[in-house]
Amino acid sequence: LERCEVNCSITVSNITKKELCSDGALEIYFESKHSGGRDVGCVEMLGPNKAKVTFEDATVISQVLSKKHTKLGLEVSISACTALDSFDDHEDEKYDDAQENKDDTDSLSKELHNSTSPKIVEEKKVDPTPPVVHPPVTFPLDPLIAKYLHFKPAVIDSLSKEIQVSISVDDSRGTITISQTDSSPPDWSSTSTERLQYLLSEMLCRVDIVIPQSAATQLYPIIMQQCAQGGLQYAFGQGGNKVSVAGDTGQVTK
């Protein structure tokens, strides 16, 4: 008998919703109740519209495959990874290594050729138009959701890298700010604003739960424990008869 490795991964292809085509957004989506998934171990982007999602528990894969995932795009394709996928990855690595060795050889040949050829000094062209610098864009944000994002930086970091902007959250003031970087595209302001608004409206939420005074002693410890397990943020209202919970929509509504 030989022990086989348990597959905990799926491959997601043809993701046409750009706002969900990042490792942070896909992690939130596949941990949501809507997707049928649960805790995600890691997300690896395999291309501009393709990713590999690895779950902590292999049993959720069948649930995910049974769901329709139109939020990711009408032509999205999801399949469970197999042992052949690992073999293909290994073959790709061998090809990449061979290609890298070939590139090194070509580069060396080019250097030898240049060292024996007369050098022509080219005049560098200076772009007379400096890049346009736009002021940062700041949005008001629910303080409890801001606190959730403060302790879940991966959600914002993946969006920052994808759009090439800087995003900062101030949970004390309840604001989120998008700033331009040296590598930001010309349309960074409109693109990042649209993606951020989708993230805040579709994938994050806050709910207020009214707690009867007679049951507060029994319910508060349960709520705090469930929030800790789901990585959610909570706050008690004045008078002790209300608790607010914020975070991933799938975890909050569950």
Side-chain angles (χ1 to χ4, degrees), residues 1-253:
L1 296 178
E2 182 179 354
R3 182 176 180 179
C4 297
E5 183 180 353
V6 177
N7 173 53
C8 297
S9 304
I10 59 173
T11 301
V12 188
S13 307
N14 298 328
I15 306 172
T16 56
K17 290 294 183 68
K18 292 184 178 180
E19 59 271 14
L20 293 178
C21 198
S22 65
D23 49 2
L26 288 172
E27 179 180 351
I28 293 177
Y29 175 78
F30 281 106
E31 286 185 345
S32 67
K33 183 178 180 181
H34 172 80
S35 70
R38 283 201 297 274
D39 296 337
V40 172
C42 66
V43 177
E44 178 183 359
M45 299 304 300
L46 304 178
N49 62 349
K50 185 177 181 181
K52 178 181 178 181
V53 181
T54 302
F55 295 96
E56 298 288 350
D57 183 2
T59 60
V60 304
I61 292 181
S62 59
Q63 301 176 24
V64 173
L65 295 178
S66 66
K67 297 278 187 177
K68 292 183 178 180
H69 302 276
T70 53
K71 279 192 173 183
L72 300 178
L74 297 178
E75 299 179 359
V76 68
S77 173
I78 299 180
S79 60
C81 293
T82 65
L84 291 177
D85 295 325
S86 299
F87 175 77
D88 291 340
D89 292 341
H90 179 65
E91 290 298 313
D92 289 341
E93 291 175 2
K94 290 169 61 180
Y95 172 80
D96 292 338
D97 291 341
Q99 187 68 25
E100 183 177 352
N101 292 335
K102 180 180 180 299
D103 292 341
D104 291 341
T105 303
D106 293 342
S107 177
L108 180 59
S109 300
K110 186 176 181 181
E111 289 179 5
L112 292 173
H113 174 74
N114 291 338
S115 64
T116 58
S117 301
K119 295 183 179 180
I120 301 175
V121 179
E122 295 183 358
E123 182 180 355
K124 293 184 178 180
K125 296 182 179 180
V126 179
D127 188 358
T129 306
V132 179
V133 178
H134 296 280
V137 182
T138 301
F139 300 94
L141 188 63
D142 183 278
L144 205 55
I145 292 182
K147 189 175 181 181
Y148 170 80
L149 291 175
H150 177 78
F151 288 100
K152 286 278 189 177
V155 178
I156 295 300
D157 290 346
S158 62
L159 193 60
S160 301
K161 293 177 182 178
E162 182 183 350
I163 312 176
Q164 298 297 311
V165 295
S166 174
I167 302 178
S168 59
V169 178
D170 189 338
D171 54 319
S172 62
R173 296 184 178 181
T175 59
I176 187 166
T177 302
I178 308 173
S179 304
Q180 183 178 3
T181 65
D182 294 338
S183 55
S184 296
D187 61 343
W188 69 269
S189 179
S190 59
T191 301
S192 56
T193 299
E194 179 182 350
R195 301 286 296 278
L196 190 61
Q197 288 178 343
Y198 178 86
L199 175 68
L200 297 177
S201 62
E202 297 292 330
M203 309 194 74
L204 301 176
C205 73
R206 165 182 171 160
V207 296
D208 298 323
I209 307 171
V210 178
I211 305 295
Q213 193 68 35
S214 58
T217 305
Q218 293 79 19
L219 292 179
Y220 281 163
I222 298 176
I223 293 175
M224 289 188 290
Q225 181 182 13
Q226 291 182 346
C227 286
Q229 292 175 349
L232 305 175
Q233 294 296 320
Y234 62 89
F236 297 109
Q238 294 182 353
N241 64 339
K242 184 181 74 171
V243 60
S244 300
V245 180
D248 170 66
T249 300
Q251 295 287 340
V252 172
T253 56

